[in-house]
Amino acid sequence: MLHSVTRGTGRPILVLHGAKLDCRHMLDAIEPAFSGVSGWKRVYIDLPGHGQSPAPPDLKDMKGVVQAVIDFAEANHPGQPVALIGESRGSHVAEGLAMLRPDLVAGLCLIAPGGNSPGSIRPDHETLVPASDIRDTLPEAAKARFDRLVVQSPDIAEKIVATKLPAAAQHDPDLEARIQKAFAFSDDPQITGAPCDAPTLILSGRQDSIAGYDDALAMLPRFPRASFALLDTAGHSLAWERPDLAAALIRDWLDRLAA
């Protein structure tokens, strides 16, 4: 069973974190978008092998991760479609769920998706808003993450130490090695690239040197109800780097879901 933390009541939204992280990061990055918003039950999940969710020994590929989320949704919200918010690796899981079980998906919010195809184009890293004086005060394990930020600030530095470092220390490296060998969905005959008509939001950072943004652009034909935003002065941590804009776009997506 997957560990989860719930906030609010109403229609369910499953929130999925990125690689080597856990629900703590998404609680910090996503929950502010729901300030003053009612009617949504946010379920922040630890994916298998992350946080407090153990990795089953027979889980060997990304489809197995997707199936774990499907099983969680059907057990906790039987007969009810769920919306999904996924960031980075979590967006890949959400996309796979929409391909495998579109009947379960009420809507999708994909944050910093892509970077998985062989031809992915990633811009060179650049920090546009530096705070280099903070770097020397950070634990050694946080410095590389801080260096990858497009927008550096004391607040984001604290968030890295509070959420990303403890999560990275807990993740299961053996599971990660197995998943990396079977990461793509394209070879699975059960998973197709059929269009997904659910209200969708795709958010990418213009300066995202990890995932880029060309893969996100290539998704648009498969999501005819998608809004796509390419945020300048933002990288792979766009929800932290451009929090007000990201929150406004998420609330617009919620309005479309409600309608």
Side-chain angles (χ1 to χ4, degrees):
M1 179 59 110
L2 299 178
H3 171 260
S4 65
V5 174
T6 299
R7 296 286 186 271
T9 60
R11 295 171 61 183
I13 301 177
L14 306 187
V15 188
L16 312 175
H17 59 77
K20 302 180 184 179
L21 300 178
D22 61 24
C23 67
R24 287 172 287 190
H25 167 63
M26 295 303 276
L27 277 160
D28 187 283
I30 301 303
E31 191 61 18
F34 290 88
S35 177
V37 177
S38 61
W40 301 100
K41 177 183 178 183
R42 291 87 67 192
V43 184
Y44 294 84
I45 292 175
D46 283 349
L47 293 172
H50 295 76
Q52 298 182 50
S53 293
D58 59 343
L59 198 162
K60 62 183 185 300
D61 53 23
M62 279 300 296
K63 185 181 176 184
V65 177
V66 172
Q67 187 60 53
V69 177
I70 290 173
D71 293 344
F72 179 94
E74 292 186 321
N76 290 277
H77 307 286
Q80 185 177 14
V82 298
L84 297 161
I85 298 175
E87 183 182 76
S88 191
R89 172 78 61 83
S91 69
H92 189 55
V93 175
E95 188 182 2
L97 199 151
M99 292 176 175
L100 187 62
R101 288 292 305 276
D103 58 300
L104 284 182
V105 177
L108 287 167
C109 174
L110 308 176
I111 301 172
N116 305 314
S117 63
S120 296
I121 299 172
R122 302 171 181 85
D124 293 337
H125 171 72
E126 57 180 328
T127 295
L128 297 180
V129 182
S132 54
D133 56 315
I134 299 169
R135 190 179 191 277
D136 289 341
T137 69
L138 297 176
E140 199 62 34
K143 290 180 179 178
R145 294 179 182 274
F146 186 75
D147 291 342
R148 290 196 295 267
L149 292 169
V150 174
V151 177
Q152 297 176 344
S153 72
D155 180 56
I156 297 177
E158 290 176 5
K159 292 173 185 291
I160 290 172
V161 173
T163 67
K164 291 194 172 186
L165 295 192
Q170 281 187 283
H171 98 284
D172 186 326
D174 294 331
L175 175 63
E176 181 68 17
R178 297 197 300 272
I179 286 175
Q180 286 296 335
K181 293 177 182 177
F183 193 82
F185 302 125
S186 56
D187 296 332
D188 193 311
Q190 289 183 279
I191 296 180
T192 69
C196 175
D197 293 327
T200 299
L201 172 63
I202 302 173
L203 296 179
S204 293
R206 182 65 177 82
Q207 288 80 29
D208 188 342
S209 60
I210 296 174
Y213 56 85
D214 60 312
D215 284 353
L217 280 167
M219 293 177 181
L220 291 180
R222 289 195 288 109
F223 297 99
R225 293 286 315 281
S227 291
F228 173 71
L230 184 60
L231 280 56
D232 182 44
T233 320
H236 206 61
S237 297
L238 65 86
W240 281 350
E241 294 169 326
R242 301 296 306 276
D244 294 341
L245 180 54
L249 291 164
I250 290 171
R251 285 192 285 267
D252 174 80
W253 172 68
L254 295 174
D255 289 342
R256 290 189 288 124
L257 276 177

